[in-house]
Amino acid sequence: MNAAVDSFVEEATDILDGLEKILLELEADPTNTGTVDAVFRALHTLKGSGAMFGFASLARFTHPFENAYEQIREGTAKVTPEIIQLSLASRDHLQRIIAKGPDAENSDIQDPTSLKLVEKIDVLIADQTTRNKSTGAIRAHSTQSQRFLITFKPHESDMRNGMRPDLLLAELEGLGEAHVTCSAAGVPPLRELDPTVCHFCWTIELTTSAGRDAIDEVFIFASDSAVTVTPLAPDTIDMAISQPAPGMERNAIGSGRMLKSDENLTAAPPKSDSVRVQAHRLDELMDQLGELVITQARLNRISADLDDTSLAETTEEIERLVTGLRDATLSIRMLPIELVFGKFRRVARDLSAELGKHVQLLTRGGETEVDKNVIDSLTEPLVHIIRNSIDHGVEAPDARLSADKPERATIVMQARQSGGEVLISVSDDGAGLNAEAIRQRAVSRKLIDEDQEVTDEQLHQLIFEPGFSTAEAVSSVSGRGVGMDAVRRVIDDLRGTVEVKSQPGRGTEVTLRLPLTLAIIDGLLVRVGNNPFVMPLSTVEECVELPPDETARQSGRSILRIRNKLVPFLRLDTLFGFERVENDDRRVVITSVDGRRLGFVVDEVIGQHQTVIKPLSVYHRGIEGLAGSTILGDGSVALILDAAAIVKRAQAAVRTAA
């Protein structure tokens, strides 16, 4: 049963995440009947399944909110900002109820928070109903009762998954007048009895005004083959039970269900198109795959040394299979970044209301896929960025109007893929960063000298220093100088970078550059001096020869002309301080960094290499320009180069020299 409860908790969490998104959409369009129906279905599903798995308090708390949205569906009430706010608070309370786990046996105690929220929703709906009756605004709707014949025989898997037929029957009785008959004809002899299978079958005559949809929602978690619902005319139910129609026969277990003689009595339950996998198992699979890739590289090297045709063919086939397995496994770990974006609509809504500002959050590129481990780490830094944007960046409504800006500010979260990176930006149309205030604060903290010349880009990076803040007072939202420091710490752990662009009076844009995956990449193996390096293949455009005149050049501008276009290049041996090896056959690896082409001079291009990313040792973590390490086929270690970081390192060296 524990496994079934865990499965319910996961599914309920997904429903609550979706419910928050639906409620925010309903707030933007209160008259959308489709969205109202979606809210009602989510609440009904939580109520029914919660009672089934022992969360009785959840079912009791959800019931009045389900009734409220039923009245909204029928037109006796309407969506208001107060109802949305109360619904969001109730959604948060449902999350807390689920986190506590199933209720104690025979527990009917309801906590004060639940009672208070239920009382508020009852008052809001009652007030609306009273007003609607006084103005004649109640929409007429049919209350004509219908009769249904329902046969219910749980499938074997239903009971093992935690279904409780008694709770489902009780919910049916709540829809109207129900006459329930139980058949034990299908119970086998004791020696053949399986205690995990329900052998009973129920026949229910239900008279209700709720309609067929309400009955279907009661059995939403039951197998399709377990339930049959037949609408009946007022005087046909007795005949339907006692007199099978021609060509029909009773179910062998005596349920009274009508079946064609050739119908399969043991129809399999519908198959699911997805399966839940625990995250640690996926990580274990990725670790094992990484070791397989390394072993396959060793096999390639052994095959090349032995020069055996049969071994070479087998090695190529294994490499093809490993590559396919790698791509399939990585695709499993890739998730749309909308999973993260969806969480921040509520953050922006609540925070803007708390600060008395009008802010709309727009998201773009939510379909961009990123490694699951990257997504799991993004929530904290993005929350800090959005909170700072709303608190410090966005002006108060009167200040925006005086600056000829719309009263409602706009924050845009956008994701896009660029080569082997994903770029996530958060931009606002607020006041921008105050460069002078940042400079004064940096001088007071002795981060820079008072007469030191610092570019705007360098000043903007200072906001990520621990404890750095220009706020005059500490609020409940920000001002302690820990938020942006946490952003950089998380992004550094993900081997990413943070960029800040700001224009006074026009807003600020913070961009996070992150790798698509933290596990395995396609790389280009090169040699600089006697040292092997790997460059991410996603950033490599081409490889060209280094002209002899450039090889002999000791100083001056390092620029190549490639197809009538000038491309600057860097010498990696000089940059890393390696002893230069005499080599007239050097290559330049042309990469694309931030949309600009840049070349890296290497002594040899060895070839493509499947790179399993390993963390750097404690001696290399502080070296700018290294993104990780990998193990080669001969057991040696190669460092993975970070092209963007190398460019920044070179630019810093030039500025220092100047």
Side-chain angles (χ1 to χ4, degrees):
M1 180 63 73
N2 289 337
V5 171
D6 292 343
S7 178
F8 162 73
V9 171
E10 291 180 1
E11 292 181 3
T13 301
D14 292 342
I15 292 174
L16 289 177
D17 289 342
L19 180 60
E20 181 177 87
K21 179 181 178 181
I22 296 170
L23 288 171
L24 294 176
E25 292 175 354
L26 186 60
E27 183 179 39
D29 186 7
T31 60
N32 191 319
T33 56
T35 309
V36 173
D37 290 341
V39 174
F40 177 82
R41 286 194 298 271
L43 292 173
H44 187 82
T45 301
L46 283 172
K47 183 187 78 171
S49 56
M52 184 186 305
F53 290 100
F55 291 79
S57 60
L58 180 145
R60 289 195 300 269
F61 175 70
T62 308
H63 183 69
F65 281 88
E66 179 191 19
N67 290 340
Y69 277 91
E70 175 65 18
Q71 294 189 47
I72 293 174
R73 294 172 74 190
E74 295 177 350
T76 59
K78 63 181 181 179
V79 178
T80 63
E82 293 79 11
I83 287 180
I84 293 294
Q85 181 63 36
L86 193 55
S87 298
L88 288 170
S90 300
R91 178 258 172 207
D92 296 340
H93 186 58
L94 285 170
Q95 199 167 37
R96 290 191 289 269
I97 292 176
I98 292 173
K100 293 179 181 178
D103 299 332
E105 195 72 25
N106 300 323
S107 174
D108 290 325
I109 301 175
Q110 199 161 2
D111 64 278
T113 303
S114 298
L115 295 174
K116 186 179 297 184
L117 289 170
V118 168
E119 182 182 357
K120 287 182 178 180
I121 193 67
D122 287 343
V123 169
L124 283 176
I125 296 299
D127 288 346
Q128 285 200 32
T129 304
T130 302
R131 288 196 300 270
N132 286 339
K133 286 182 178 179
S134 63
T135 59
I138 300 178
R139 188 173 64 191
H141 60 281
S142 174
T143 58
Q144 183 177 0
S145 296
Q146 293 179 277
R147 302 179 74 192
F148 297 91
L149 174 64
I150 305 168
T151 58
F152 174 39
K153 173 63 177 72
H155 191 273
E156 293 182 3
S157 61
D158 291 340
M159 296 296 295
R160 295 191 181 104
N161 289 332
M163 172 185 286
R164 289 186 55 183
D166 58 326
L167 297 177
L168 299 185
L169 294 174
E171 191 169 354
L172 274 181
E173 292 175 341
L175 296 179
E177 183 181 355
H179 298 283
V180 182
T181 303
C182 179
S183 172
V187 178
L190 184 60
R191 63 179 177 275
E192 301 175 7
L193 186 66
D194 184 350
T196 66
V197 177
C198 179
H199 300 282
F200 293 107
C201 176
W202 289 268
T203 301
I204 306 100
E205 175 193 347
L206 177 65
T207 303
T208 178
S209 60
R212 172 65 183 269
D213 290 344
I215 298 174
D216 291 339
E217 288 173 349
V218 170
F219 295 103
I220 190 170
F221 287 101
S223 302
D224 291 345
S225 60
V227 183
T228 300
V229 181
T230 306
L232 296 174
D235 297 321
T236 61
I237 187 162
D238 293 335
M239 183 180 297
I241 296 178
S242 60
Q243 300 294 334
M248 308 286 282
E249 63 180 14
R250 287 183 177 274
N251 190 314
I253 59 175
S255 68
R257 178 186 172 196
M258 307 309 163
L259 296 175
K260 294 183 180 179
S261 58
D262 60 349
E263 182 177 351
N264 184 5
L265 296 179
T266 58
K271 295 181 179 180
S272 174
D273 59 354
S274 63
V275 61
R276 291 180 179 272
V277 179
Q278 293 178 333
H280 73 87
R281 294 186 177 180
L282 199 57
D283 292 337
E284 290 174 2
L285 174 62
M286 202 68 237
D287 292 340
Q288 294 297 321
L289 179 61
E291 296 302 319
L292 179 61
V293 170
I294 293 173
T295 304
Q296 183 254 323
R298 293 178 58 192
L299 180 60
N300 284 351
R301 184 178 182 88
I302 294 172
S303 175
D305 292 341
L306 295 179
D307 194 21
D308 183 272
T309 304
S310 299
L311 180 59
E313 292 176 355
T314 304
T315 301
E316 290 178 2
E317 180 66 14
I318 292 176
E319 183 175 7
R320 183 185 67 81
L321 294 174
V322 170
T323 301
L325 179 61
R326 180 204 66 177
D327 294 341
T329 306
L330 288 178
S331 67
I332 296 175
R333 289 169 58 101
M334 303 299 281
L335 298 174
I337 204 165
E338 175 63 28
L339 296 175
V340 178
F341 282 1
K343 301 177 181 179
F344 300 112
R345 298 185 181 95
R346 176 78 181 277
V347 173
R349 175 193 181 276
D350 293 348
L351 187 57
S352 58
E354 179 183 345
L355 297 176
K357 299 179 179 181
H358 303 300
V359 179
Q360 63 174 342
L361 177 65
L362 305 179
T363 59
R364 298 170 185 166
E367 69 282 357
T368 304
E369 292 189 336
V370 190
D371 189 285
K372 174 192 175 297
N373 289 344
V374 175
I375 284 183
D376 291 343
S377 303
L378 281 179
T379 300
E380 179 187 359
L382 288 176
V383 164
H384 287 303
I385 293 173
I386 290 176
R387 290 169 70 92
N388 275 314
S389 181
I390 296 177
D391 191 19
H392 297 305
V394 172
E395 310 95 330
D398 53 350
R400 291 183 62 84
L401 291 175
S402 63
D404 293 329
K405 290 183 177 182
E407 183 178 1
R408 170 182 276 190
T410 300
I411 296 178
V412 179
M413 294 184 66
Q414 184 171 2
R416 62 184 177 88
Q417 185 176 340
S418 176
E421 293 182 319
V422 60
L423 277 61
I424 304 173
S425 61
V426 179
S427 59
D428 63 64
D429 60 352
L433 294 178
N434 188 333
E436 184 58 32
I438 295 175
R439 182 182 181 86
Q440 292 178 2
R441 180 62 175 165
V443 170
S444 66
R445 293 194 54 193
K446 301 187 184 304
L447 296 176
I448 60 174
D449 296 331
E450 188 171 357
D451 57 349
Q452 182 177 344
E453 292 186 7
V454 183
T455 64
D456 287 344
E457 180 182 1
Q458 291 172 317
L459 280 177
H460 296 162
Q461 288 295 322
L462 292 175
I463 66 175
F464 298 104
E465 291 294 323
F468 191 94
S469 176
T470 59
E472 297 180 358
V474 175
S475 68
S476 60
V477 178
S478 60
R480 299 185 184 276
V482 298
M484 301 308 283
D485 170 42
V487 171
R488 187 167 68 176
R489 185 171 60 253
V490 172
I491 301 305
D492 285 346
D493 291 342
L494 293 174
R495 299 197 310 275
T497 58
V498 187
E499 299 174 358
V500 181
K501 296 179 181 178
S502 182
Q503 296 183 13
R506 300 187 62 180
T508 303
E509 180 179 23
V510 179
T511 301
L512 310 180
R513 288 184 166 274
L514 300 166
L516 278 176
T517 177
L518 303 177
I520 301 175
I521 62 172
D522 283 322
L524 183 68
L525 185 61
V526 301
R527 180 177 59 81
V528 180
N530 296 319
N531 305 284
F533 290 93
V534 173
M535 304 185 71
L537 199 59
S538 58
T539 65
V540 177
E541 291 190 350
E542 59 181 320
C543 298
V544 299
E545 292 185 0
L546 182 66
D549 54 343
E550 290 292 344
T551 302
R553 187 193 299 268
Q554 298 297 324
S555 60
R557 301 177 63 187
S558 299
I559 295 179
L560 292 177
R561 181 179 294 275
I562 302 177
R563 290 185 290 278
N564 295 324
K565 291 186 178 180
L566 298 179
V567 179
F569 65 87
L570 296 172
R571 301 176 186 271
L572 289 178
D573 53 3
T574 302
L575 189 66
F576 286 118
F578 295 153
E579 182 178 351
R580 179 169 296 185
V581 178
E582 296 299 329
N583 184 3
D584 296 331
D585 192 25
R586 290 187 172 181
R587 296 288 187 269
V588 182
V589 180
I590 307 300
T591 64
S592 177
V593 179
D594 297 340
R596 296 173 296 177
R597 304 181 76 198
L598 180 70
F600 294 93
V601 178
V602 300
D603 291 307
E604 182 184 3
V605 175
I606 299 174
Q608 188 173 344
H609 182 266
Q610 288 192 69
T611 304
V612 180
I613 301 176
K614 299 289 186 179
L616 290 170
S617 70
V618 294
Y619 304 105
H620 295 87
R621 288 175 187 168
I623 301 178
E624 190 174 9
L626 300 181
S629 61
T630 188
I631 301 175
L632 302 180
D634 60 357
S636 62
V637 175
L639 298 176
I640 303 171
L641 299 179
D642 184 342
I646 290 176
V647 172
K648 291 182 179 179
R649 175 177 175 175
Q651 291 173 342
V654 170
R655 286 194 296 267
T656 301

